Amino acid sequence: MKPPAGLSWSSLGSLVATAVVVRAALQEVLPPEAHGALRALLSRVAAVFAHPTDTVVVHEADANGVPNELYEAAQLYLGARCLATAPALHLHKPHGVPEPVASLPDDHVAHDTFRGVCVAWRSQRVDQASAAFSPFGGSRGFGAPGGFGLGGRQQWCLRLEFPRRHRDVVRGAYVAHVLAEAAALRLKMRERKLYTNNPGMYCGGVGVMDDHRMLWSSHAFSHPSTFDTLAIDPALRDAICDDLLRFVRRRDHYARAGRAWKRGYLLHGPPGTGKTSLIAAIANFLEFDIYDLELTAVGSNSDLRGLLLSMRPKSLIVVEDIDCSLGLFDRTEKLSSSPSSQDADHSEEDQGFPPHGRRERISLSGVLNFVDGLWSSCLGERLIVFTTNHVDRLDPALLRPGRMDCKIELGYCKGHALRVLANNYLGLADNDDDCEPADNDRGRYEELMGEAERLLDEVHLTPADVAEVFMGCDGDGAHAALQKLVDDLNTKRLAHKCAVSKAGDV
């Protein structure tokens, strides 16, 4: 075997001997603590030559001072996903956010893994005089140094370092992943709002409807209702949850089908059956804002359209007691009762002329266009919820699929709803041995509960009525509350029987 080209056996032996002497000298001179650091440094140098890396530089702002959305998204992503075990981090609490937000401090590194690729984020300050913003500048990546700046001022930047062989994964999928995760985190962190339209704020046209704050007043939305606390049938509860999840996940499906990304719900049933609580639970479940639209405070169809255009996505538009807000009753029934006079009124309204000299008002056609017209497609990902106590009074045009896609009837209190209410108000969890009544008489509790359930099959009582009984017995104990409910149900049953008996005698 020959020695490498340019070397003789004697020179090769001298090189090996020199290396041994240097190694021995270093061991003598350097302290033991430095040996590990030296080995790590040599390993890193060897790794760089064996596996070259690329860098994406993400500046805080561009040369004009415009904030970089990717920088903000990356800091938010790192704070939520990569800094749990970091030795140092920045904490900041924005107004209205319940918890502090973490970010990566200067001159620190955070590591992340995506699809098996290990990446490193490094935070540092740079001079803007040396900051350029080239999106695709070779291995320098997004915004690599080497260009123009703003008079030498400093700004922050993040350096994303990764193996060069995974360039396509990082620049393509990983950056998009960071943006998507940050958007979801931002949505969770925001303070959700309950909006209501300001009375008398009529803009007279669509072109001046951009001022959201002028048209809507807002309050922090903090209703505690959830699907776990709703006194409704479990099958109905699960069906509603599945329908909502299917809706928010099917943006592409709606686009392929050529339909606006919206869904209409009609909640109907007697007063006190939980329609408002269900609305709050839906908003909490989807983390949507609520727009409580008061139709009687809207001046005209054009004003209604302007309110629609000023609403934001991921919203729940609510019109409660739609049968009481306006004259949106069944036109066929109205026409059959008084054809001549009613025809004149409807023709006048449908043509947009103010009836009897009064100012223009909202018509049924305006509400239908609000729900399902061309303008309704301008706002993505929203639910429209109407509530009514008398669904039979509404015009069929308002109820057809495409306007009210899901009709939910909320009825009187039955067995499961009673147990949910008992858990909510009395602190009794169904089938939970750790949450027994105060006197440990589980048998007595089940006896009273069973009797109340049987009586509820005969007596119509709403969840609101049951809740009122439990609220009135606060502090008296579970048995006293259930006994009071049983007594009230027996009284109502006897009263009903007496009324039926008198009616039969007559």
Side-chain angles (χ1 to χ4, degrees):
M1 185 178 69
K2 294 182 179 181
L7 290 176
S8 63
W9 285 112
S10 59
S11 60
L12 183 61
S14 299
L15 181 62
V16 171
T18 302
V20 171
V21 172
V22 170
R23 180 175 180 273
L26 289 176
Q27 287 181 342
E28 291 290 337
V29 174
L30 294 178
E33 293 81 4
H35 295 167
L38 180 61
R39 283 194 296 269
L41 177 62
L42 293 176
S43 298
R44 290 186 62 183
V45 172
V48 168
F49 285 103
H51 304 288
T53 61
D54 275 7
T55 301
V56 171
V57 182
V58 183
H59 289 279
E60 182 184 19
D62 66 10
N64 298 317
V66 178
N68 184 354
E69 182 181 351
L70 181 56
Y71 178 88
E72 297 175 359
Q75 284 285 24
L76 185 60
Y77 173 83
L78 292 173
R81 299 285 188 261
C82 307
L83 300 183
T85 59
L89 50 82
H90 275 311
L91 283 179
H92 172 64
K93 186 181 182 304
H95 179 72
V97 175
E99 297 180 358
V101 179
S103 60
L104 186 64
D106 296 340
D107 300 320
H108 282 75
V109 180
H111 298 276
D112 192 20
T113 302
F114 177 75
R115 296 183 182 177
V117 180
C118 295
V119 301
W121 290 90
R122 187 183 305 275
S123 177
Q124 61 182 198
R125 282 178 179 249
V126 295
D127 292 330
Q128 282 188 320
S130 63
F133 299 90
S134 172
F136 303 102
S139 64
R140 293 183 303 173
F142 300 106
F148 52 89
L150 293 176
R153 289 184 298 173
Q154 286 190 327
Q155 69 164 321
W156 288 274
C157 77
L158 290 171
R159 298 175 61 88
L160 173 60
E161 300 170 353
F162 53 92
R164 181 171 296 171
R165 65 182 182 276
H166 298 302
R167 176 186 297 177
D168 293 340
V169 174
V170 173
R171 293 192 182 183
Y174 181 64
V175 172
H177 167 73
V178 170
L179 289 170
E181 286 289 308
L185 290 167
R186 197 177 291 113
L187 187 64
K188 276 184 171 293
M189 290 165 49
R190 85 191 195 285
E191 183 182 36
R192 291 190 296 121
K193 297 288 188 178
L194 171 62
Y195 297 97
T196 185
N197 51 307
N198 292 323
M201 295 303 298
Y202 309 126
C203 298
V206 177
V208 290
M209 289 294 185
D210 301 328
D211 195 340
H212 184 275
R213 290 174 297 178
M214 182 176 68
L215 297 175
W216 299 95
S217 59
S218 66
H219 302 275
F221 179 72
S222 57
H223 199 291
S225 179
T226 67
F227 279 104
D228 291 332
T229 62
L230 281 180
I232 62 175
D233 181 78
L236 176 60
R237 177 196 62 205
D238 295 342
I240 295 173
C241 291
D242 292 342
D243 188 78
L244 293 171
L245 291 175
R246 185 166 54 250
F247 166 74
V248 298
R249 293 169 180 168
R250 301 182 79 188
R251 176 177 185 172
D252 295 337
H253 174 79
Y254 276 82
R256 286 195 304 269
R259 294 187 58 180
W261 193 16
K262 64 179 181 62
R263 190 158 179 81
Y265 285 82
L266 177 68
L267 311 184
H268 61 97
T273 51
K275 295 184 285 293
T276 301
S277 296
L278 177 55
I279 291 171
I282 292 174
N284 288 328
F285 183 68
L286 297 180
E287 297 182 336
F288 278 13
D289 293 324
I290 293 182
Y291 286 85
D292 184 17
L293 180 60
E294 179 55 59
L295 289 179
T296 57
V298 182
S300 64
N301 291 337
S302 60
D303 291 330
L304 180 61
R305 183 168 59 244
L307 286 168
L308 172 66
L309 294 179
S310 68
M311 294 175 183
R312 294 165 178 165
K314 293 188 178 296
S315 59
L316 189 65
I317 305 169
V318 178
V319 181
E320 294 196 90
D321 298 321
I322 183 65
D323 55 310
C324 301
S325 298
L326 297 167
L328 302 181
F329 36 74
D330 191 342
R331 288 172 295 180
T332 58
E333 180 179 336
K334 181 177 180 182
L335 291 174
S336 63
S337 62
S338 179
S340 57
S341 61
Q342 303 301 340
D343 281 345
D345 287 344
H346 273 288
S347 62
E348 188 178 37
E349 264 192 76
D350 292 341
Q351 293 174 17
F353 296 107
H356 308 297
R358 290 183 283 114
R359 190 174 61 83
E360 179 191 359
R361 62 176 184 175
I362 298 177
S363 65
L364 174 61
S365 63
V367 175
L368 297 181
N369 287 326
F370 170 82
V371 175
D372 195 35
L374 289 175
W375 291 100
S376 69
S377 62
C378 297
L379 186 67
E381 194 176 7
R382 73 187 186 283
L383 297 175
I384 302 176
V385 181
F386 286 176
T387 72
T388 180
N389 297 332
H390 307 283
V391 66
D392 54 309
R393 298 181 183 177
L394 297 179
D395 193 284
L398 188 64
L399 304 179
R400 71 162 176 80
R403 288 172 179 153
M404 293 295 107
D405 305 289
C406 187
K407 302 175 182 65
I408 301 172
E409 181 178 7
L410 299 177
Y412 293 102
C413 188
K414 299 300 179 183
H416 175 78
L418 174 62
R419 291 182 178 269
V420 172
L421 292 170
N423 181 32
N424 294 344
Y425 289 92
L426 307 179
L428 301 175
D430 189 26
N431 296 325
D432 188 350
D433 293 337
D434 295 331
C435 298
E436 295 186 358
D439 58 1
N440 296 320
D441 187 0
R442 187 73 180 187
R444 178 59 178 162
Y445 162 72
E446 288 295 341
E447 179 183 347
L448 289 169
M449 182 66 72
E451 187 175 356
E453 289 176 345
R454 288 190 295 273
L455 288 169
L456 285 172
D457 290 333
E458 303 180 36
V459 180
H460 286 168
L461 213 61
T462 66
D465 295 328
V466 176
E468 187 62 27
V469 173
F470 288 162
M471 286 287 288
C473 298
D474 186 30
D476 296 338
H479 288 173
L482 286 173
Q483 186 64 60
K484 178 67 165 57
L485 177 62
V486 169
D487 294 342
D488 287 355
L489 288 170
N490 278 319
T491 301
K492 291 181 181 296
R493 184 181 62 170
L494 291 175
H496 177 69
K497 285 185 175 180
C498 291
V500 171
S501 176
K502 290 182 180 179
D505 294 340
V506 174

